[in-house]
């Protein structure tokens, strides 16, 4: 059933060895475990390999808001500072902490900002947070392993991966307990961002106070269970989106839309208030409107790189509506 890796994008021998070492006795594993190995295994994981992933250079696979240069960092610094000041808090008393930074220097590298300091926590570093902080992430949660399920014969069933003769294929594992009792048409797929929700809980359970800001893409629970019948997991390789999720594991990116309702609930459980979900466009216009106005006025007579970056980040047809921003205070 479902998809399988093609001969031209078959798993590498090192990945197959890892897969076999972690598979069950029948040669299968849940998709979430496969995605975890494909992205984060210390030897063959996509995010563990030292190679360029982000940008427009040959060999890269995708671009993010940070690809637009310092403008994104300037917008983030301005918006976060305003959000704190509007709540009666001093940005200078807060440490800006970027979680899962793709760039070791972080989004505020070379950017003048009002915070006490700016630090980055990369993959594998301890997530230790305390004191007054701005906890920021950009496309962190969509890169967490997800549980794939399909609705068949009146119940949700978990999907997995198995190896057969050196190739990977999708397999149905068994019934999945859906506590929400959600019903769907036969064959409907729901990719559940459970690890992303757990990560949000892990970050917010620590003894820090301040501002939580997550830039990412996701949907509401209603949308995920009514509008995305084929699921939302996607692969990215050389700037091409694909549904061939089992191809070249460890060499292509895998992402899953997060469930905003679940992240909002995770924040509320840990005492966050003023939880707001905005489009990226709306967040920046509301929280960094003065910066945008000043930059637009300064570049009014010319089509500058900064103006092009603003257009890319704010226009609804580009990143403005594709990405959302979840922000809250504690």
């Amino acid at each position: 059933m479902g998809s399988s890796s093609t001969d031209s994008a078959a798993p590498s021998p090192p990945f197959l060895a890892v897969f076999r070492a972690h598979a069950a006795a029948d040669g299968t594993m849940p998709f979430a475990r496969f995605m975890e190995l494909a992205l984060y295994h210390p030897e063959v994981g996509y995010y563990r390999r030292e190679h360029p992933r982000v940008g427009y250079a040959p060999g890269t696979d995708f671009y993010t808001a940070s690809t637009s240069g310092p403008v994104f960092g300037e917008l983030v610094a301005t918006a976060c500072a305003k959000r704190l000041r509007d709540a009666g808090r001093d940005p200078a008393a807060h440490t800006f902490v970027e979680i899962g930074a793709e760039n070791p220097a972080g989004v505020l590298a070379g950017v003048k900002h009002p915070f006490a300091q700016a630090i980055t926590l990369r993959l594998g570093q301890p997530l230790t947070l305390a004191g007054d902080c701005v906890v920021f992430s950009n496309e962190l949660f969509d890169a967490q392993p997800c549980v794939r399920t399909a609705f068949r014969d009146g119940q949700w069933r978990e999907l997995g991966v198995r190896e057969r003769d050196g190739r990977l294929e999708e397999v149905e594992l068994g019934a999945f307990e859906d506590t929400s009792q959600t019903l769907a048409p036969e064959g409907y797929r729901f990719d559940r961002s459970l690890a992303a929700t757990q990560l949000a809980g892990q970050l917010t359970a620590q003894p820090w106070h301040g501002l939580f800001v997550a830039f990412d893409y996701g949907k509401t629970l209603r949308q995920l269970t009514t509008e995305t019948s084929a699921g939302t997991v996607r692969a990215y390789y050389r700037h091409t989106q694909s549904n061939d999720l089992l191809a070249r594991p460890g060499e292509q990116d895998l992402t899953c839309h997060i469930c905003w309702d679940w992240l909002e609930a995770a924040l509320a459980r840990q005492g966050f208030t003023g939880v707001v979900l905005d489009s990226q466009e709306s967040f920046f216009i509301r929280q960094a409107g003065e910066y945008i106005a000043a930059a637009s006025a300064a570049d009014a007579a010319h089509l500058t790189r900064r103006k092009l970056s603003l257009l890319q980040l704010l226009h609804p047809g580009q990143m403005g509506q594709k990405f959302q921003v979840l922000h809250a205070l504690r």
Side-chain angles (χ1 to χ4, degrees), residues 154-175:
Q155 64 177 339
W156 289 101
R157 302 186 67 83
E158 185 171 3
L159 303 179
V161 182
R162 74 178 165 200
E163 185 247 334
R164 178 180 291 178
D165 299 328
R167 299 178 60 184
L168 300 178
E169 61 184 16
E170 186 179 86
V171 63
E172 203 169 88
L173 298 179

Side-chain angles (χ1 to χ4, degrees), residues 73-74 77-78 108-115:
E74 291 166 359
T78 302
L108 297 188
V111 172
K112 184 178 180 181
H113 63 79
F115 309 110

Side-chain angles (χ1 to χ4, degrees), residues 193-251:
S193 56
L194 301 181
T197 307
Q198 292 168 358
L199 177 58
Q202 178 186 354
L203 292 175
T204 56
Q206 298 190 45
W208 65 275
H209 296 81
L211 177 64
F212 175 94
V213 184
F215 284 69
D216 229 306
Y217 57 88
K219 296 181 180 294
T220 65
L221 180 60
R222 186 195 64 79
Q223 290 173 319
L224 290 170
T225 54
T226 62
E227 300 177 6
T228 57
S229 60
T232 63
V233 183
R234 299 292 182 266
Y236 290 89
Y237 182 75
R238 302 295 187 264
H239 292 278
T240 299
Q241 179 181 297
S242 168
N243 293 326
D244 194 355
L245 309 180
L246 307 184
R248 58 180 73 84
E251 300 174 37

Side-chain angles (χ1 to χ4, degrees), residues 83 211-214 274-278 283 287 325-329:
R83 187 78 161 87
L211 177 64
F212 175 94
V213 184
V275 180
V276 179
L277 178 65
D278 283 322
F283 177 76
Q287 306 298 335
V325 185
L326 182 64
H327 48 110
L329 289 156

Side-chain angles (χ1 to χ4, degrees), residues 51-190:
H51 71 290
R53 291 179 287 270
V54 182
Y56 302 100
T60 59
D61 298 314
F62 58 90
Y63 61 87
T64 70
S66 59
T67 314
S68 62
V71 171
F72 182 60
E74 291 166 359
L75 284 167
V76 167
T78 302
C80 291
K82 182 179 185 298
R83 187 78 161 87
L84 288 171
R85 292 191 188 102
D86 287 349
R89 306 188 186 192
D90 181 8
H94 291 69
T95 297
F96 185 95
V97 184
E98 182 173 359
I99 308 293
E102 181 70 25
N103 179 354
V107 70
L108 297 188
V111 172
K112 184 178 180 181
H113 63 79
F115 309 110
Q117 61 177 328
I119 62 176
T120 62
L121 295 178
R122 302 197 71 196
L123 180 66
Q125 292 183 275
L127 296 177
T128 302
L129 302 168
D132 292 330
C133 299
V134 175
V135 175
F136 165 85
S137 66
N138 181 45
E139 293 192 69
L140 169 69
F141 293 100
D142 67 76
Q144 304 307 305
C146 69
V147 176
R148 301 208 81 194
T149 61
F151 197 77
R152 302 192 191 282
D153 299 324
Q155 64 177 339
W156 289 101
R157 302 186 67 83
E158 185 171 3
L159 303 179
V161 182
R162 74 178 165 200
E163 185 247 334
R164 178 180 291 178
D165 299 328
R167 299 178 60 184
L168 300 178
E169 61 184 16
E170 186 179 86
V171 63
E172 203 169 88
L173 298 179
F176 178 85
E177 183 180 359
D178 180 59
T179 56
S180 65
Q181 300 298 310
T182 304
L183 300 179
E186 181 72 11
Y188 193 101
R189 295 191 173 213
F190 180 11

